[in-house]
Amino acid sequence: MPDVRLSSPQGRWILLTTVLGSSMAMLDSTVVNVALPRIGRDLNVDLAALQWTVNAYMVTLAGLILLGGSLGDRYGRRKIFVIGVVWFASASLLCGLAPSAGVLVGARALQGIGGALLTPGSLALIQASFHPDDRAKAVGLWSGFGGIGAAVGPFLGGWLVDGPGWRWVFLLNVPLALLCAPIAVRHVPESGGRAFRPRGAEAAGAGGAEGAEGGGAPGRFDVLGAALGALALALVTYALIEAGRGSLVVAVTAVAGIAAGVAFVYVEKHRPDPMMPLDIFASRQFTVVNLVTLCVYAAFGGFFFLTALQLQVVVGYSPLQAGTALLPTTVLMLLFSSRSGALADRIGPRIPLTVGPLLCAVAMLMMLRVGRGADYLTDVLPALLVMGAGMVTLVAPLTSTVLASVDTARAGLASGINNAAARAAGLIAVAALPLLAGMGPEAYRSPDAFDASFRRAMPLCAAVLVVGAALALAAVRRPPPDCNRPECRTHGNITTPPLDPGRIGGGATPGGGAPR
């Protein structure tokens, strides 16, 4: 049983390590959008390259995050976390030194792999290290400090872009990693792998689990499923970004992406130890809430990608001003998400998951006032405050309902699937929304062209949110009183719902469930 106390020196070192690691990935997801116009001008690239700068990272992260949790269970959570930190920092260094857009996009994809290793690992280390009496407080501090990092991210990113340059948005991760990795090696106890043998692993090992010999998590890695999932996302994303060119290559890529998606479902259905056991979707509530997640985070992904550009290209803000302008949404999330979760526990999730998306839809329609000469206090801030209120209303209840809709043994898996679904929705939105809004490859260089496309895009995002609200109203029900409750109550990340403790993507048993 883990026995590290939060008040001990080792407990404080563990908390610092996990906060530093998760902050690297969280900062990266919030600061890059602010840097996009400068990246485009410096590297002389079109809008498609800027879309790939965001999406290359999201493709590998969304496709591999479940597998990342399994690797920690098998080979040691501290070991995989440290590898993820070093990998992420190395890829960040390559991003910062990239001489061309092609190198930058490739490095961003490598960054996503590092993020898939360290993101679930930071929370798993808390779950595995702290005494049960201190675990909830440790998770609360971890999520609170992470939220502060998310709030600081756009401001810090804008300051870096305006000051030393956009490359420092990525290079900042290197000193963080140089601080985080040695602390982890010295002060964080190993768990998983040889240091941890789950109950029943001996019996499962008879079924052919390679890691069982070393006391690892039972079951084999679903590498094929992870590869097919990431490939499907990459191919579909490419087809959407390049669709405006109308070439045969784009059509072939689209068909190949759909085929890879079908193959992914087939593999997950027929493997004895799938990365994403499809029977978890037998829960109607779980399925519906993930559909709501897809709608909500697709709209969020498109909104924050385009708004960071709109504020700079059309309104004329500097990167620092644009990053600072976006702070209210994150600050509201950080201050009120836990209270929203408590309210949803009392009244049920149906109303928050209906009202929250509708408030966000109203905010996106209010953004139609943000154009040339827009005033921050009367045009930009009101929309962002309504947006923040909507996000506060829905994010915590969404996470609670996901966990409440499955058995306790599958809580970590459910949280991981929901998080991956949100990331996939965001990357598809960043790929598809410029196409649907008629945004040309050079639109971000022309204030008039970009403003016209932005005004077509915001109603599309609002419509997707209305669909999500309608799904929640029609199908979400109050969970039973003895259901799973999330430990991550404070949340400041605007791009994905919070991961929650558990075997996030951990190896499944032959029956398809995550082992207890």
Side-chain angles (χ1 to χ4, degrees):
M1 175 182 292
D3 58 0
V4 178
R5 303 308 299 246
L6 183 59
S7 58
S8 68
Q10 185 183 23
R12 291 191 287 269
W13 282 118
I14 293 171
L15 184 63
L16 175 62
T17 301
T18 56
V19 168
L20 285 173
S22 61
S23 294
M24 289 171 59
M26 191 173 291
L27 279 170
D28 202 79
S29 68
T30 57
V31 303
V32 172
N33 282 350
V34 176
L36 290 176
R38 292 286 177 88
I39 293 174
R41 287 196 291 270
D42 190 23
L43 299 181
N44 193 28
V45 295
D46 61 11
L47 181 66
L50 301 186
Q51 291 171 275
W52 274 116
T53 300
V54 174
N55 277 350
Y57 175 79
M58 297 299 293
V59 163
T60 50
L61 180 59
L64 301 177
I65 193 169
L66 292 174
L67 184 61
S70 298
L71 287 169
D73 291 336
R74 173 70 59 80
Y75 294 115
R77 298 185 182 98
R78 184 187 66 184
K79 180 187 296 183
I80 297 302
F81 174 80
V82 171
I83 291 173
V85 168
V86 174
W87 186 306
F88 192 91
S90 301
S92 298
L93 178 62
L94 184 57
C95 288
L97 301 176
S100 66
V103 174
L104 176 60
V105 169
R108 288 283 286 163
L110 292 175
Q111 256 193 324
I113 297 174
L117 298 176
L118 71 87
T119 299
S122 59
L123 190 52
L125 286 175
I126 292 178
Q127 187 78 350
S129 300
F130 283 104
H131 189 282
D133 292 344
D134 290 345
R135 192 176 297 147
K137 185 177 181 181
V139 170
L141 289 170
W142 172 84
S143 58
F145 283 121
I148 292 172
V152 171
F155 174 84
L156 179 62
W159 178 79
L160 289 171
V161 174
D162 271 347
W166 64 265
R167 296 180 184 275
W168 282 93
V169 168
F170 302 106
L171 295 176
L172 177 66
N173 292 319
V174 177
L176 289 177
L178 290 175
L179 181 62
C180 179
I183 294 175
V185 172
R186 181 174 176 82
H187 296 286
V188 177
E190 184 59 283
S191 59
R194 294 182 180 273
F196 173 74
R197 178 180 290 273
R199 187 168 55 191
E202 293 84 354
E210 307 93 334
E213 294 179 10
R220 292 169 293 178
F221 289 128
D222 186 9
V223 176
L224 178 59
L228 285 171
L231 180 64
L233 289 174
L235 293 174
V236 170
T237 300
Y238 176 86
L240 289 170
I241 290 176
E242 301 294 333
R245 305 182 191 277
S247 68
L248 178 61
V249 173
V250 171
V252 171
T253 303
V255 172
I258 294 171
V262 172
F264 170 77
V265 173
Y266 178 86
V267 168
E268 298 306 283
K269 182 177 181 180
H270 290 88
R271 280 185 68 95
D273 47 7
M275 176 183 72
M276 189 180 74
L278 298 183
D279 65 334
I280 195 171
F281 293 98
S283 166
R284 182 170 179 265
Q285 183 100 320
F286 181 76
T287 302
V288 169
V289 174
N290 275 284
L291 290 174
V292 174
T293 297
L294 289 173
C295 293
V296 165
Y297 282 94
F300 291 171
F303 173 82
F304 286 106
F305 173 71
L306 293 181
T307 297
L309 290 167
Q310 177 78 357
L311 291 177
Q312 295 179 70
V313 173
V314 177
V315 183
Y317 285 2
S318 68
L320 177 58
Q321 290 172 321
T324 306
L326 294 171
L327 277 176
T329 53
T330 306
V331 171
L332 286 174
M333 289 271 288
L334 183 60
L335 293 177
F336 299 110
S337 57
S338 61
R339 298 182 186 181
S340 171
L343 176 64
D345 287 344
R346 292 199 298 270
I347 68 174
R350 187 181 185 185
I351 293 176
L353 293 183
T354 302
V355 173
L358 292 178
L359 283 173
C360 293
V362 170
M364 292 185 184
L365 295 179
M366 292 173 66
M367 285 297 295
L368 296 176
R369 293 169 51 88
V370 179
R372 282 182 179 270
D375 180 78
Y376 182 74
L377 291 179
T378 60
D379 298 321
V380 181
L381 182 60
L384 293 177
L385 290 175
V386 175
M387 183 73 178
M391 295 179 75
V392 165
T393 303
L394 72 91
V395 170
L398 184 146
T399 302
S400 299
T401 310
V402 164
L403 296 180
S405 62
V406 298
D407 295 335
T408 300
R410 287 183 148 187
L413 175 65
S415 178
I417 290 173
N418 185 247
N419 192 276
R423 296 178 190 277
L427 77 90
I428 293 299
V430 170
L433 197 55
L435 172 68
L436 295 175
M439 195 172 292
E442 301 298 324
Y444 81 95
R445 301 181 189 274
S446 167
D448 291 335
F450 194 90
D451 188 43
S453 298
F454 182 82
R455 294 178 181 281
R456 291 190 290 268
M458 288 300 100
L460 293 175
C461 291
V464 173
L465 285 164
V466 171
V467 171
L471 283 170
L473 179 64
V476 171
R477 298 292 179 264
R478 179 188 288 271
D482 59 345
C483 64
N484 298 316
R485 303 292 180 184
E487 292 188 44
C488 293
R489 307 289 292 188
T490 303
H491 185 52
N493 191 359
I494 58 177
T495 57
T496 52
L499 282 167
D500 217 76
R503 291 178 53 79
I504 300 170
T509 64
R516 294 179 184 271

